[in-house]
Amino acid sequence: MVINNSKIYNPTQHKHLKLGLFGFGCVGQGLYHVLNETHGIKAEIKKICVKSKEKQRILDSAQFTFDKNEILLDEEINVVVELIDDAKAAFEIVKTALQNGKHVVTANKRMIAENLEEIYHLQQQYNRSVLYEGAVCGSIPILRNLEEYYDNDLITSIEGIFNGSTNYILTKVFEEKKSYTEALKGAQDLGFAESDPSLDVEAFDPKFKLTIAIAHTFGVFLKPEEIINIGIQKISPVDLKYARENNLTIKLIARAYKQKGRIFGFVAPQFIPLDHMLAGVRNEYNAVLVEGAFAEKQVFIGKGAGGYPTGSAVLSDISALAYDYRYEYKKFAQREGLPFSNEALVDVVVSFPLGTLITPKDFEIFKGGYQGKDYQYMTGSVKIIKLKALSDLNNVSLILAPELNLAVIDSDKKELLYA
Ligand code: HSE
């Protein structure tokens, strides 16, 4: 048999990559070290562009520049590695890099999530690649698996722990009985948290990651604003007690699923039974649970935050560029055109101090309640869209029930369609 396929892997075809790096924070330094320890990749950092002129750095000052054009206009640099904090400035860098014929590797989840459809078109227009494995769940190789491995499987859902800082906080609060503030400080000191930690604790960061994951899982480009996110900042001692008494823990879960011809997705804390696959995922570890029609459940677990784990994902993208790898967005190309919707019900447990104005009427289906000496909780089903309104009320904490009984609302008949 004669095989004539120019795309066949040929190890002699590896390109030599000259990198221009933007940002030298936690992930930038992680990448620098990981790259130095790796000998199989022909890539070297030519220049690093940073913002602050005052900061002490571990490398010689000749390695750095404060002028982005020293990288963007350098014809020898063929890959821009973008690892800065500012999503708007990052997107400008990405656009210019592509226009100037450079490939891009980035770990900037907010920038990717907010501009994904445009980034998809820019890659086609300039025939260059933008890779961002490090943007979703740190070291877990989920995007390339969704692109390549799950190409032929009918994925029905993707869910998991998509934020390291909040998982670290919840672990410390549960296992070491640390206060929320003390645990958050730990996540900040270890470099897991965003520079604005409300992005972590209010679940914006995992929402950005979910937006990206949805594009690669279901072929739908969403704007992050379309997805509801409920954070962990209002979890109360009453919730912790409820969990302990019922053999549960609490995890911040990002999820998207396909049901009755629509795609649903949201991020919210959930009570998780102690024997569930995600219950034992601790500290800054992340987990992604993919469910497919034939493969059924598969779980990926790995460090979701920190310089070295994220640096290793960035390095893997750089390595992939040496083989001319590009995301093909196959699910988008083959897309079934399924709409995204928030017209579904989920089961929640809502806890609040006595005197708070929450009544059974706030639920589509009220399932029961309990009144203690100074607090109360109620359980029932609410619309996804209502999750936000309820959790925004003063002193109200909202956590998804362990069994969700996801139900879709039939928009014509207004009736419930259970999975
Ligand atoms: N702040 C993020 C987290 C960093 O805690 O998961 C990694 O994306």
Side-chain angles (χ1 to χ4, degrees):
M1 186 175 67
V2 179
I3 300 173
N4 181 9
N5 182 343
S6 57
K7 279 196 165 174
I8 279 182
Y9 167 70
N10 175 352
T12 59
Q13 281 180 348
H14 292 195
K15 276 195 199 135
H16 191 95
L17 302 174
K18 282 252 191 237
L19 314 178
L21 175 58
F22 281 87
F24 202 58
C26 182
V27 180
Q29 292 180 47
L31 170 68
Y32 178 82
H33 289 292
V34 172
L35 190 58
N36 270 354
E37 298 288 316
T38 313
H39 303 293
I41 298 178
K42 287 195 215 150
E44 64 186 275
I45 299 176
K46 184 170 177 192
K47 211 58 175 185
I48 306 171
C49 182
V50 288
K51 199 162 70 174
S52 163
K53 295 189 177 167
E54 281 79 48
K55 258 190 202 161
Q56 290 287 326
R57 307 200 189 265
I58 54 168
L59 302 178
D60 191 85
S61 62
Q63 290 256 17
F64 295 97
T65 177
F66 305 103
D67 176 7
K68 64 182 179 184
N69 287 330
E70 266 201 52
I71 289 178
L72 293 171
L73 299 179
D74 183 333
E75 289 186 3
E76 205 189 14
I77 290 176
N78 47 10
V79 178
V80 162
V81 182
E82 181 287 302
L83 300 172
I84 66 171
D85 208 22
D86 176 338
K88 282 202 172 67
F91 188 45
E92 291 309 312
I93 289 168
V94 170
K95 279 195 287 193
T96 313
L98 292 171
Q99 278 159 8
N100 293 355
K102 302 177 194 316
H103 298 289
V104 175
V105 173
T106 171
N108 197 320
K109 50 261 162 147
R110 180 176 200 155
M111 184 271 291
I112 296 288
E114 288 177 344
N115 303 287
L116 190 46
E117 189 160 10
E118 193 173 343
I119 288 170
Y120 164 76
H121 290 297
L122 287 170
Q123 291 179 78
Q124 308 224 314
Q125 185 181 348
Y126 295 106
N127 194 23
R128 289 293 180 273
S129 182
V130 181
L131 300 181
Y132 40 85
E133 188 67 75
V136 182
C137 298
S139 67
I140 299 179
I142 188 61
L143 296 183
R144 262 186 274 159
N145 271 302
L146 289 169
E147 282 278 305
E148 308 300 325
Y149 183 85
Y150 291 103
D151 186 28
N152 294 314
D153 203 355
L154 301 168
I155 301 180
T156 49
S157 71
I158 180 166
E159 64 183 54
I161 297 165
F162 284 25
N163 182 269
S165 302
T166 46
N167 204 43
Y168 177 90
I169 294 170
L170 290 170
T171 306
K172 296 296 172 198
V173 165
F174 259 95
E175 293 182 9
E176 295 173 25
K177 300 205 164 57
K178 286 201 170 157
S179 73
Y180 171 84
T181 317
E182 200 183 351
L184 169 59
K185 182 160 185 324
Q188 288 177 297
D189 291 346
L190 289 163
F192 304 151
E194 299 300 299
S195 44
D196 171 2
S198 67
L199 293 173
D200 296 295
V201 297
E202 294 178 23
F204 287 96
D205 173 86
K207 171 164 86 166
F208 298 141
K209 294 165 179 166
L210 184 65
T211 309
I212 302 170
I214 287 175
H216 289 274
T217 308
F218 298 118
V220 181
F221 291 125
L222 298 174
K223 287 285 176 198
E225 309 82 81
E226 293 176 76
I227 301 176
I228 299 283
N229 56 301
I230 314 290
I232 64 160
Q233 72 277 21
K234 290 172 84 183
I235 292 176
S236 68
V238 171
D239 301 321
L240 300 180
K241 187 163 173 277
Y242 179 96
R244 290 200 179 94
E245 285 173 0
N246 290 284
N247 289 326
L248 301 165
T249 184
I250 301 173
K251 297 288 180 192
L252 180 62
I253 304 291
R255 60 159 51 75
Y257 54 98
K258 184 158 71 175
Q259 199 171 310
K260 309 282 178 204
R262 279 181 266 171
I263 308 295
F264 300 89
F266 48 92
V267 186
Q270 183 172 2
F271 288 113
I272 300 285
L274 291 179
D275 59 0
H276 188 279
M277 286 173 175
L278 300 181
V281 178
R282 302 169 57 250
N283 294 323
E284 76 271 29
Y285 275 82
N286 282 191
V288 185
L289 201 167
V290 179
E291 188 154 6
F294 306 118
E296 299 189 10
K297 287 185 178 165
Q298 292 178 304
V299 194
F300 300 78
I301 297 176
K303 286 197 172 175
Y308 283 26
T310 312
S312 90
V314 173
L315 184 71
S316 176
D317 278 349
I318 293 170
S319 167
L321 283 178
Y323 310 101
D324 291 324
Y325 182 76
R326 278 174 76 164
Y327 298 135
E328 288 180 46
Y329 301 88
K330 291 176 190 146
K331 313 291 190 312
F332 179 65
Q334 326 150 344
R335 83 182 153 154
E336 304 157 289
L338 296 183
F340 181 77
S341 167
N342 279 319
E343 283 290 299
L345 296 188
V346 284
D347 289 354
V348 295
V349 180
V350 182
S351 69
F352 45 91
L354 289 188
T356 310
L357 283 180
I358 296 223
T359 72
K361 286 196 183 128
D362 285 304
F363 297 80
E364 293 290 320
I365 305 169
F366 179 69
K367 296 194 175 165
Y370 170 84
Q371 187 170 324
K373 199 159 56 71
D374 44 19
Y375 71 94
Q376 200 173 351
Y377 63 80
M378 292 182 181
T379 65
S381 306
V382 298
K383 285 187 180 177
I384 294 176
I385 205 83
K386 174 96 187 201
L387 290 174
K388 186 86 190 134
L390 269 178
S391 77
D392 279 349
L393 294 173
N394 254 351
N395 296 324
V396 171
S397 159
L398 179 150
I399 302 180
L400 302 182
E403 295 294 337
L404 282 188
N405 297 318
L406 299 162
V408 172
I409 302 164
D410 184 320
S411 46
D412 299 329
K413 300 180 199 139
K414 297 281 175 225
E415 66 188 24
L416 293 179
L417 307 168
Y418 284 91

